Amino acid sequence: MFAKIFSALSPASRKKKEVTFVGDVDNYSAKNQGLLSPQDYALNNLNLKVSNLFKDGDRKEAIQLVHKAVRTASNKENHLSPWIRANAFSNAATYFHYENNNPRAEYYLEKALEVFHNSDESDEIAYATILSGAAVLKAEMGLFNEADRLFRESIKLKEKHLSARHPSFIKTLNNLLDLYKRCMKKPREAKKLEKKYISSTFSAKPWKLGK
């Protein structure tokens, strides 16, 4: 849940940091590695290693691999899928945010989103995942209006391609509701979303927020 990630305290003041990487690389890896090109496979594994090292607290090696992944993703001669390329930038954004370098984190978030804007391939579900993760980081930076916009764009795409019962859709909806209730103090907006998605979709089977 988004509330577990967001805190009014600065990252430096947190003794334990719960790290959420933007691109859900584990899910992508598990489902699609058989479809990856050798270059995609290599960068995807590097992305996974970065996230695992950072979560384990090994930041010295993690930062070296972050730079390596970013160099690989930035090389236009490498024929990489947009999803894998964007994950490298997303992981870099997450790393620098938790190192209290938000300007650099924002730079890499924009790089991740630009990957899909400049790609001929249409993968709106992958783009929606990147949008949702970027929104979480924007919210943690205190950029609530930008987070609101990104969450809404992600929800629109997930509603188009998935369903309101899909776990990915529910997770993003929960995050936006949390943003409205806890951060932006917009209870009316939260109620509108709950009425639109929860009341109608889950009328036959009640669903509790945060589950």
Side-chain angles (χ1 to χ4, degrees):
M1 193 170 88
F2 173 71
K4 294 180 180 179
I5 303 170
F6 176 76
S7 169
L9 300 174
S10 68
S13 65
R14 302 176 209 166
K15 291 182 180 179
K16 272 195 170 181
K17 300 175 184 177
E18 182 175 345
V19 180
T20 299
F21 278 78
V22 169
D24 287 345
V25 288
D26 292 296
N27 291 337
Y28 184 89
S29 174
K31 295 177 182 177
N32 299 289
Q33 277 202 2
L35 304 177
L36 300 182
S37 69
Q39 288 181 319
D40 279 333
Y41 184 84
L43 182 54
N44 189 54
N45 283 342
L46 187 58
N47 288 339
L48 284 168
K49 192 170 184 180
V50 167
S51 62
N52 289 333
L53 283 170
F54 189 51
K55 290 173 185 177
D56 291 340
D58 190 348
R59 300 187 177 194
K60 185 176 181 180
E61 185 175 356
I63 187 59
Q64 293 176 349
L65 295 185
V66 163
H67 288 303
K68 182 178 179 180
V70 165
R71 285 196 300 271
T72 301
S74 300
N75 188 343
K76 294 183 179 180
E77 293 183 4
N78 292 330
H79 298 290
L80 299 164
S81 69
W83 174 251
I84 301 295
R85 193 186 299 273
N87 266 331
F89 295 131
S90 297
N91 278 356
T94 304
Y95 180 88
F96 286 112
H97 169 59
Y98 282 94
E99 290 296 302
N100 303 319
N101 190 341
N102 283 344
R104 201 164 186 187
E106 286 193 78
Y107 169 78
Y108 282 115
L109 277 182
E110 292 305 316
K111 291 278 286 183
L113 296 174
E114 284 174 9
V115 168
F116 288 94
H117 293 160
N118 298 329
S119 173
D120 293 330
E121 297 181 37
S122 178
D123 190 346
E124 291 190 334
I125 295 177
Y127 182 48
T129 301
I130 296 294
L131 284 169
S132 182
V136 169
L137 284 186
K138 291 284 188 180
E140 286 198 339
M141 294 174 191
L143 304 173
F144 300 143
N145 289 330
E146 290 184 41
D148 181 5
R149 177 180 61 80
L150 293 172
F151 276 135
R152 283 188 171 276
E153 191 173 350
S154 178
I155 284 175
K156 183 178 179 180
L157 291 174
K158 289 183 179 183
E159 184 179 20
K160 175 182 176 182
H161 294 285
L162 303 174
S163 76
R165 288 182 177 270
H166 193 281
S168 181
F169 181 93
I170 293 170
K171 180 179 179 181
T172 303
L173 178 62
N174 265 332
N175 285 344
L176 181 55
L177 288 170
D178 231 23
L179 181 72
Y180 284 156
K181 292 178 179 180
R182 299 173 185 265
C183 305
M184 300 183 77
K185 308 301 181 185
K186 290 185 174 181
R188 289 185 180 179
E189 292 296 325
K191 285 184 179 179
K192 287 180 183 178
L193 282 177
E194 289 172 342
K195 184 176 180 180
K196 179 178 180 180
Y197 292 111
I198 299 173
S199 299
S200 59
T201 307
F202 294 90
S203 57
K205 185 178 180 181
W207 174 63
K208 295 180 180 179
L209 292 178
K211 299 294 184 182

